[in-house]
Amino acid sequence: MTQSTTRYLADYQTPDFHIDTVNLCFNLDDTKTRVVNEMAIEKVSDQSNITLNGEHLSLLSIKVNGTTLTKDDYQLSDTELVFALTQQHNTVVIETQIDPLNNTALEGLFKSGDAFCTQCEAEGFRRITYYLDRPDVMATFTTKVIAAKESFPQLLSNGNKIDSGDLENGQHFVTWQDPFPKPCYLFALVAGDFDLLTDSFTTLEGRNVALEIFVDKGNLSKAHHAMTSLKKSMKWDEEVFGLAYDLDIYMIVAVDFFNMGAMENKGLNVFNSKYVLADEATATDTDYFNIEAVIAHEYFHNWTGNRVTCRDWFQLSLKEGLTVFRDQQFSADMHSAAVTRIQNVRVLRAHQFAEDASPMAHPIRPEKVMEMNNFYTLTVYEKGSEVIRMMYTLLGKENFRKGIDLYFERFDGMAVTCDDFVNAMADASNKDLSIFKRWYSQSGTPLLLVNESFDPTTGEYALTVEQKNMPTAQQQEKHALHIPIKVELLAGGVSQEHLLELTEAKQTWHFSMFDEKPVTAFLGDFSAPVKVNFDQSDEELITVMQNAQNTFCQWDAGQKLFMRYIERLIDTPDYILPNELIAAFEVMLTSNDLDDALKAEQLTLPSFGEIADNQQIIDPEKIIHALKTLKLFLANGLSNVLSRCYQACQQTNTRTPQTRALASACLSYLVLDTNNEQLVQNHYDNGQNMTENLAALTAAINQSLENTDALMKDFEDKWLDTTLVMDKWFSLQGMQQGDDIFANLEALTKRDDFSLNNPNRARSLIGSFSMNNPKHFHCATGRGYEFLTTQLIALNTINPQVAARLITPLLAFKQYEEKRKAMMQSQLVKLSNLDNLSKDLTEKINAALG
Ligand code: TRP
Ligand code: ZN
């Protein structure tokens, strides 16, 4: 694979042709689906050749303005079809044949179980027909779907149903028309025999919208939470952003085979069934939360993504960063704002910061791309959301809303850029965002160095903040960013809040009239995606933990204490931990002001990933030892309080997600005591739902308790036929701590119910092993790396997108100590020598090795 396949943002050119209307007709068949594509194409430049994208297609015929082209009239390659269009207005009819059954990449038209479905974002439509597959080409689609009536009673596509009827030989058809012009990445088609949950919603404009959720037969009772979530999302978007739904029908289809979470196709979302199906017995509280968030996310895309879309794929964060911000705000409004924020920040610190320090580091608006699927990243999504959040913080709620209103006023129905969005924000608020825009082009996590001084004679407190923007893999030169910093100064029992705007390399702020040196709660609500180096004493951090108004800062102070002692233990394995730590967490656990979910967050130690991201050279064994030592120290010192907390949570006959979160967190400590088998067994046996069952299994697995195998067997027997629950079982297996793990992994991959063709199943075992089992993934023999590589070699041909996600933990090999570095590198080299290495893996491996 050569560099020539790399595309650059700087090379963007407006299209030479427009496509106004598309008429599609699908004759569905497992291995020989025929697609007739009739396009009205308009020439808008003096270019007379048109180049259409197309991959994995069999071309049957092309007709231009009524004349069938012969082989001499066009040029055809594996990726393109070129022919002349001499008139201004043209009608082009192209017929292709495709093979959905053998489409294991799950892009374009494929089969999930017995159903046909599509996935076109980012560039999957070109696997259905020849087309100008770019988001700034927007057309109105009419889609006729023909299939066998008995096997496929439901035939769906975007927009409104305009026609249907029976045909010869047991076939039938349905025709759909989408009145909104859209890019082809939002096209969708589904055909199958589903159970259907229906409901309706009346919009603020008085439009009655039919809501339909399609699930596999037998799963209807698991679709209610998704439906409730959809209605909550529709209402919230009207109330908070004034945005109402615009078609008469909104459909969601849940499928088992899906590369990502869900897809916002206009009027016809396709979802990974994991983000739709839930009932008490099979879904955890986290599953319930995530389903609501993903349903909201896809629904919110109807405005931020579909009504206003991206000019080109480099602008992906225009829709994703903004839509993630919207779904996070929604979740915060539906639940605890503080807990929601804490969980968002955990993901950012453990995963996005690592990505931003990795060989694949890129700005939220990437500048070069080989395979677009590689850029649906934590950076584009989560950091992208942080960038929107910073504008929200800088502008304030009212001005932010004015900016959003202006954005839709200017760009409804258009394909635009990130700059267009920021300009609307700046114009609506009169805020200068010119320096702020650098967040879109600069990669890497800024580091803030904070210094304070206090003059007791004048009562003046000064806070100096310096920003360090280190070079990243593909970007050496860095500039100062515009960084909003919320601070809270605590003194004499009162607290004052300030919003500081750092726009230069280094700035100092002065605050007066203090009788004593204030204690500063820095970066309230995590007001910017940065790392902070601020040398506060344990005592000061404990003051913040106990007295800050900002709940995020309370939690973060506890995390800083944990991180501080983990780092000491990494440097000095037998370091003696101070009892003040116990006292501080005892106060926290017995406080009446904190809700149980927050206590659970406070008790959760920084993850392996977050710790690793803060190490110069990663030595996995040292990190694991430090984490274990700290956890054991806390478990011993807090054992009485933890048991009392645990009992209190378990006793209530009205258990809630909050009490369950705290019970699970306590259990993870209590299990470190001896004689803990019984406690875990009871937690499992008395479990009233999946959250409790999983907490018990996780505790057993982490401690390799003697009853682990029996518990896992019981769980397996109970859930053997429930795919989504068995995914949980496979991910628990990936986290086993015993030394027989490699033999077990080998056996697991050979089971009939394990298949790399199913992304959820592949991720649950391989992903959990390589991301959540550092002890064995990084084991000194290198077997963990070998196991992952073996799976990646198979996945490379089956599903490159999934392979490219699972390779992530190998890419950062340079950050590891010598021995592991060499072993990881040799696995990457092995992969790079494969004959058929996909673009997806090529781009990442080249970046890592290069
Ligand atoms: N646009 C989708 C979202 O943000 C994500 C997406 C992109 C996707 N490509 C995909 C989903 C491929 C599934 C498969 O929700
Ligand atoms: Zn999205």
Side-chain angles (χ1 to χ4, degrees):
M1 201 60 64
T2 58
Q3 279 293 306
S4 65
T5 53
T6 301
R7 291 168 285 170
Y8 296 84
L9 166 59
D11 293 344
Y12 175 81
Q13 287 189 319
T14 56
D16 294 321
F17 298 88
H18 287 173
I19 303 178
D20 299 315
T21 61
V22 185
N23 250 292
L24 295 167
C25 178
F26 288 80
N27 248 296
L28 294 177
D29 180 88
D30 271 2
T31 55
K32 294 187 176 74
T33 288
R34 280 175 170 238
V35 183
V36 181
N37 164 16
E38 178 181 328
M39 299 171 276
I41 303 183
E42 192 168 349
K43 182 145 79 161
V44 291
S45 71
D46 45 20
Q47 177 65 245
S48 60
N49 277 340
I50 186 167
T51 303
L52 299 180
N53 310 101
E55 291 174 14
H56 300 96
L57 300 171
S58 307
L59 177 62
L60 301 179
S61 68
I62 325 174
K63 212 186 257 181
V64 175
N65 300 320
T67 309
T68 301
L69 301 193
T70 67
K71 284 227 153 57
D72 301 335
D73 300 328
Y74 60 85
Q75 291 145 38
L76 183 61
S77 76
D78 282 351
T79 56
E80 285 175 348
L81 170 64
V82 184
F83 53 91
L85 282 184
T86 47
Q87 292 172 213
Q88 160 119 51
H89 301 284
N90 305 276
T91 302
V92 176
V93 185
I94 298 178
E95 194 172 355
T96 49
Q97 184 176 302
I98 49 183
D99 182 356
L101 186 67
N102 293 302
N103 180 355
T104 56
L106 312 184
E107 280 186 278
L109 181 69
F110 62 93
K111 289 206 80 180
S112 172
D114 293 331
F116 286 93
C117 71
T118 56
Q119 172 55 42
C120 295
E121 187 177 7
E123 297 175 329
F125 192 74
R126 64 186 64 181
R127 292 174 181 237
I128 292 174
T129 183
Y130 290 96
Y131 200 75
L132 290 177
D133 190 355
R134 45 186 289 172
D136 57 353
V137 170
M138 296 166 79
T140 50
F141 282 68
T142 305
T143 306
K144 180 173 181 177
V145 189
I146 302 170
K149 190 170 183 174
E150 198 176 310
S151 308
F152 306 99
Q154 289 142 334
L155 305 176
L156 315 174
S157 190
N158 318 85
N160 302 308
K161 193 187 276 194
I162 55 168
D163 196 7
S164 65
D166 289 337
L167 301 167
E168 286 175 353
N169 302 324
Q171 304 276 105
H172 72 143
F173 78 94
V174 178
T175 306
W176 294 81
Q177 188 160 53
D178 181 357
F180 292 92
K182 65 170 178 287
C184 63
Y185 83 86
L186 290 171
F187 170 80
L189 175 157
V190 174
D193 185 3
F194 301 97
D195 272 351
L196 171 59
L197 180 66
T198 59
D199 206 325
S200 68
F201 183 88
T202 307
T203 69
L204 53 75
E205 292 156 346
R207 179 193 289 277
N208 195 272
V209 184
L211 308 179
E212 304 192 335
I213 300 185
F214 298 80
V215 296
D216 276 354
K217 284 249 143 84
N219 281 334
L220 203 59
S221 64
K222 293 184 184 173
H224 295 283
H225 175 62
M227 185 62 88
T228 307
S229 302
L230 175 59
K231 289 189 284 183
K232 283 182 182 167
S233 308
M234 296 179 85
K235 189 150 190 293
W236 186 89
D237 216 13
E238 292 187 346
E239 286 174 359
V240 176
F241 284 102
L243 299 172
Y245 189 61
D246 52 12
L247 283 165
D248 298 328
I249 182 167
Y250 191 86
M251 295 174 281
I252 290 175
V253 184
V255 299
D256 285 338
F257 283 58
F258 210 58
N259 281 346
M260 307 243 259
M263 181 61 212
E264 71 264 23
N265 316 304
K266 184 82 187 185
L268 177 55
N269 290 182
V270 178
F271 271 61
N272 188 323
S273 56
K274 173 182 156 97
Y275 293 111
V276 174
L277 303 177
D279 63 17
E280 287 285 307
T282 59
T284 62
D285 294 326
T286 305
D287 292 329
Y288 273 82
F289 182 95
N290 289 340
I291 288 167
E292 185 187 80
V294 177
I295 294 263
H297 180 96
E298 306 312 330
Y299 175 71
F300 297 156
H301 267 316
N302 190 54
W303 279 93
T304 51
N306 301 3
R307 286 287 286 258
V308 181
T309 193
C310 302
R311 185 193 72 172
D312 55 77
W313 288 121
F314 299 100
Q315 316 296 328
L316 179 60
S317 204
L318 174 82
K319 74 176 176 80
E320 296 303 347
L322 179 54
T323 305
V324 171
F325 173 74
R326 278 152 52 68
D327 83 57
Q328 290 176 346
Q329 293 294 85
F330 167 75
S331 294
D333 282 353
M334 295 296 118
H335 305 279
S336 155
V339 174
T340 303
R341 187 66 187 135
I342 287 165
Q343 288 171 350
N344 297 159
V345 172
R346 257 193 222 289
V347 172
L348 212 65
R349 282 183 175 159
H351 303 291
Q352 194 280 321
F353 284 10
E355 182 171 277
D356 230 343
S358 80
M360 279 296 287
H362 52 277
I364 64 167
R365 181 183 55 211
E367 270 144 25
K368 62 171 194 154
V369 163
M370 184 186 286
E371 170 51 63
M372 190 53 213
N373 287 326
N374 282 341
F375 290 85
Y376 288 77
T377 59
L378 289 148
T379 299
V380 167
Y381 277 64
E382 309 299 318
K383 187 179 181 180
S385 165
E386 295 300 315
V387 170
I388 303 290
R389 183 181 298 278
M390 287 190 281
M391 283 188 263
Y392 179 77
T393 303
L394 288 168
L395 268 56
K397 191 175 168 181
E398 260 98 71
N399 276 328
F400 183 84
R401 173 63 197 273
K402 280 191 203 161
I404 290 281
D405 291 349
L406 182 60
Y407 173 66
F408 288 120
E409 195 183 308
R410 283 183 182 169
F411 303 120
D412 188 10
M414 296 166 66
V416 306
T417 64
C418 296
D419 267 338
D420 289 327
F421 180 85
V422 181
N423 291 342
M425 285 289 154
D427 293 348
S429 63
N430 282 314
K431 180 97 188 159
D432 180 358
L433 294 174
S434 48
I435 295 177
F436 186 84
K437 282 185 179 174
R438 289 177 184 161
W439 280 105
Y440 283 87
S441 51
Q442 189 158 300
S443 59
T445 307
L447 171 65
L448 303 186
L449 304 177
V450 187
N451 276 292
E452 56 183 358
S453 67
F454 179 64
D455 184 344
T457 55
T458 59
E460 194 181 86
Y461 174 72
L463 200 58
T464 299
V465 186
E466 185 179 355
Q467 56 173 306
K468 292 268 185 215
N469 293 286
M470 266 46 118
T472 47
Q474 304 178 41
Q475 191 179 58
Q476 295 308 303
E477 205 189 312
K478 302 289 178 181
H479 304 278
L481 297 166
H482 185 166
I483 303 177
I485 303 169
K486 280 192 200 171
V487 296
E488 191 183 326
L489 307 180
L490 302 163
V494 291
S495 113
Q496 10 169 311
E497 273 185 57
H498 300 275
L499 177 63
L500 314 178
E501 294 189 32
L502 180 66
T503 54
E504 293 159 29
K506 188 172 180 176
Q507 279 166 253
T508 299
W509 290 268
H510 300 272
F511 308 91
S512 52
M513 308 237 287
F514 285 101
D515 296 334
E516 54 183 279
K517 180 188 159 305
V519 172
T520 296
F522 194 82
L523 207 68
D525 295 327
F526 202 66
S527 58
V530 297
K531 294 186 187 182
V532 178
N533 213 325
F534 185 6
D535 192 18
Q536 290 177 296
S537 66
D538 283 10
E539 209 187 333
E540 287 176 306
L541 287 175
I542 291 169
T543 302
V544 174
M545 228 178 124
Q546 293 170 356
N547 299 324
Q549 298 294 304
N550 195 283
T551 315
F552 172 82
C553 285
Q554 289 185 1
W555 169 78
D556 199 31
Q559 293 289 301
K560 279 185 184 140
L561 280 169
F562 284 156
M563 197 57 111
R564 168 171 300 174
Y565 287 103
I566 288 166
E567 282 170 0
R568 299 234 169 115
L569 284 163
I570 289 172
D571 293 341
T572 315
D574 52 1
Y575 184 87
I576 307 292
L577 295 164
N579 285 319
E580 286 74 17
L581 212 51
I582 302 293
F585 281 85
E586 182 157 346
V587 170
M588 183 279 292
L589 280 172
T590 50
S591 153
N592 292 322
D593 303 337
L594 281 183
D595 91 26
D596 287 341
L598 272 167
K599 289 182 182 176
E601 291 299 339
Q602 288 273 22
L603 276 180
T604 306
L605 298 181
S607 65
F608 180 91
E610 190 179 337
I611 300 162
D613 184 51
N614 285 310
Q615 295 287 300
Q616 285 301 322
I617 297 167
I618 304 171
D619 183 335
E621 285 169 34
K622 286 187 177 170
I623 297 177
I624 291 163
H625 168 81
L627 268 169
K628 256 200 179 148
T629 309
L630 176 60
K631 190 140 190 179
L632 194 59
F633 175 76
L634 294 166
N636 288 332
L638 293 166
S639 70
N640 288 332
V641 197
L642 286 166
S643 316
R644 265 184 277 127
C645 262
Y646 177 75
Q647 294 306 337
C649 290
Q650 287 300 95
Q651 257 169 29
T652 39
N653 41 16
T654 52
R655 293 183 194 171
T656 63
Q658 290 75 27
T659 64
R660 284 192 287 269
L662 184 53
S664 305
C666 291
L667 186 67
S668 77
Y669 283 89
L670 294 171
V671 71
L672 303 184
D673 266 350
T674 44
N675 290 330
N676 36 32
E677 265 90 6
Q678 199 51 51
L679 179 69
V680 170
Q681 187 73 47
N682 291 344
H683 197 85
Y684 184 82
D685 292 341
N686 303 333
Q688 298 170 350
N689 59 32
M690 184 51 73
T691 304
E692 294 172 333
N693 293 333
L694 265 195
L697 290 174
T698 306
I701 286 210
N702 283 337
Q703 255 334 80
S704 296
L705 298 183
E706 268 165 34
N707 52 353
T708 305
D709 289 350
L711 289 171
M712 288 294 279
K713 181 79 173 62
D714 181 83
F715 190 87
E716 180 190 356
D717 289 345
K718 211 175 204 153
W719 298 115
L720 205 54
D721 296 327
T722 312
T723 313
L724 290 173
V725 181
M726 283 307 283
D727 286 338
K728 297 181 196 298
W729 184 85
F730 274 95
S731 38
L732 286 163
Q733 293 290 10
M735 296 188 281
Q736 291 269 21
Q737 296 297 294
D739 289 329
D740 49 358
I741 178 106
F742 292 106
N744 290 341
L745 288 175
E746 190 69 28
L748 287 161
T749 55
K750 300 224 159 83
R751 283 170 61 113
D752 286 345
D753 57 355
F754 183 85
S755 163
L756 293 175
N757 289 44
N758 180 335
N760 285 358
R761 192 53 50 93
R763 281 184 289 247
S764 64
L765 185 65
I766 301 163
S768 94
F769 170 72
S770 59
M771 319 258 215
N772 301 323
N773 196 345
K775 174 179 161 187
H776 289 300
F777 177 63
H778 293 293
C779 91
T781 62
R783 287 181 77 181
Y785 308 141
E786 274 168 33
F787 172 75
L788 176 59
T789 305
T790 305
Q791 303 305 317
L792 291 176
I793 291 171
L795 272 171
N796 172 56
T797 43
I798 297 171
N799 189 327
Q801 238 184 101
V802 171
R805 284 196 180 267
L806 289 172
I807 200 177
T808 307
L810 281 179
L811 299 178
F813 73 94
K814 284 186 184 140
Q815 295 166 30
Y816 285 79
E817 54 79 26
E818 292 303 322
K819 232 184 105 193
R820 288 178 174 85
K821 180 156 107 183
M823 293 190 296
M824 293 166 93
Q825 183 171 19
S826 77
Q827 298 302 325
L828 288 174
V829 171
K830 192 199 294 176
L831 286 165
S832 75
N833 289 330
L834 288 181
D835 279 343
N836 265 320
L837 195 64
S838 63
K839 270 209 279 181
D840 314 55
L841 283 178
T842 301
E843 181 170 41
K844 291 193 173 184
I845 293 172
N846 284 354
L849 292 176

